[in-house]
Amino acid sequence: MKLTDAQLAEFDRTGYLFIPECFSREEAAVLRHAADEVYALDREEIWRETTGAPRTAFAAHTYNEAFRRLGAHPRLIEPVEQLLGGRLYMHQFKVNAKAAFEGEVWQWHQDYGTWKRDDDMPEPKAMNISVFLDEVTACNGPLMIIPGSHKVGVLEAGHDLETTSYPLWTLDKATVRRLADEGGILAPTGPAGSLLMFHCNLVHASPPNISPYGRTIVYLSLCEVNNHIRKFERKEWIAHRDFTPIDALPDDCLQELVAAQAQAAE
Ligand code: SIN
Ligand code: MN
């Protein structure tokens, strides 16, 4: 999948692109089913809320076939190669649950702020690209972004080890207010299969999910291969150390699983 000149210009201006229904309902359902299988596992890569509900499954592309295929999907790899101007490796892969009633907050942050401080990634030549596995609505804890905030560089941040189970470099209220007064706040919403990509310096957060509807989103953080991390202090399944360039799979790689699951159900 190649981005048009208009999309490239839009990304440069706002720091994000939203493509509703980029994946079919069936492809999204295969991945949603895979997320349930992954959350049922007892593995150290799967982090939970204090209630025990799943929060994040790290590196699921290394132990689940559907996510392995998504991690090399051409609808994700090709546009990010185009935007970053080089080949890519997977810096981080997470399936974020934001469970019904129990999904907790993600405080305001920039992802590259964490990758720079914790992993010594040299430049912001990395990108988040995500696929909604449930419908994301105004009510179930959507991702909130501040358009244009990718232009401000890496902001001062504090290391939040308290408010959630996952340590994060988070921004103070005055900074968020200033940026929001300039750029506003948006929360892209849409059906399962929708795709959101955003610059690694874009300021974002998400509120708790007190609705009865889950909000599963899978995030790939893809980094240009020469920009690989230099510091190896976090777990290897949080900040990966395999810098091999990803070869994109055929476009029907998930559709094959749809067909296989339909056959198995007969
Ligand atoms: C993130 O910022 O990395 C995840 C936020 C979310 O899933 O809501
Ligand atoms: Mn983030």
Side-chain angles (χ1 to χ4, degrees):
M1 187 175 87
K2 284 271 183 287
L3 300 174
T4 63
D5 287 348
Q7 286 175 312
L8 293 171
E10 173 77 4
F11 181 85
D12 181 56
R13 195 173 61 78
T14 63
Y16 79 98
L17 279 177
F18 183 55
I19 305 178
E21 297 178 83
C22 182
F23 288 83
S24 70
R25 190 181 297 245
E26 291 78 19
E27 288 170 320
V30 161
L31 294 164
R32 184 66 188 78
H33 178 71
D36 281 340
E37 285 178 343
V38 163
Y39 293 142
L41 301 172
D42 184 15
R43 299 181 63 112
E44 62 175 345
E45 297 95 331
I46 300 162
W47 289 29
R48 302 194 183 270
E49 310 286 9
T50 46
T51 60
R55 178 172 176 84
T56 305
F58 286 101
H61 66 309
T62 63
Y63 50 86
N64 176 278
E65 177 59 18
F67 289 126
R68 182 188 74 79
R69 293 180 185 217
L70 185 71
H73 203 289
R75 276 173 250 164
L76 306 183
I77 301 299
E78 287 171 7
V80 179
E81 281 181 344
Q82 199 183 347
L83 280 163
L84 296 180
R87 303 212 57 204
L88 311 171
Y89 80 93
M90 188 74 67
H91 172 59
Q92 190 173 78
F93 186 107
K94 49 192 197 300
V95 189
N96 283 2
K98 192 77 79 165
F101 295 115
E102 291 170 38
E104 280 296 342
V105 64
W106 287 81
Q107 305 285 4
W108 288 103
H109 67 282
Q110 296 171 300
D111 281 8
Y112 180 65
T114 295
W115 303 340
K116 183 177 172 57
R117 293 177 179 100
D118 288 354
D119 307 325
D120 194 13
M121 184 185 284
E123 303 285 333
K125 284 188 81 176
M127 181 85 65
N128 281 318
I129 185 159
S130 63
V131 181
F132 296 0
L133 305 189
D134 292 312
E135 181 173 11
V136 177
T137 72
C139 301
N140 64 355
L143 192 75
M144 303 191 292
I145 56 178
I146 300 185
S149 58
H150 63 304
K151 302 260 190 199
V152 298
V154 177
L155 296 156
E156 287 272 305
H159 207 189
D160 177 7
L161 304 166
E162 309 264 310
T163 58
T164 71
S165 57
Y166 183 62
L168 202 61
W169 289 89
T170 59
L171 306 176
D172 64 37
K173 291 175 187 164
T175 304
V176 174
R177 184 184 299 278
R178 177 172 55 79
L179 293 169
D181 283 350
E182 283 163 22
I185 298 178
L186 282 180
T189 56
S194 299
L195 181 149
L196 174 69
M197 65 180 92
F198 56 99
H199 191 285
C200 60
N201 269 335
L202 196 78
V203 172
H204 62 282
S206 62
N209 182 10
I210 58 168
S211 86
Y213 308 113
R215 188 235 62 178
T216 315
I217 302 180
V218 51
Y219 293 87
L220 283 67
S221 302
L222 293 161
C223 182
E224 195 273 321
V225 283
N226 298 308
N227 190 48
H228 65 77
I229 62 168
R230 291 353 191 208
K231 191 159 97 184
F232 306 126
E233 284 175 6
R234 298 204 291 172
K235 296 276 190 193
E236 143 329 285
W237 40 265
I238 292 183
H240 304 155
R241 293 165 208 170
D242 178 358
F243 309 134
T244 315
I246 298 168
D247 289 322
L249 291 169
D251 192 76
D252 65 354
C253 61
L254 285 174
Q255 194 54 43
E256 274 179 10
L257 293 186
V258 173
Q261 285 190 3
Q263 214 168 28
E266 271 170 16

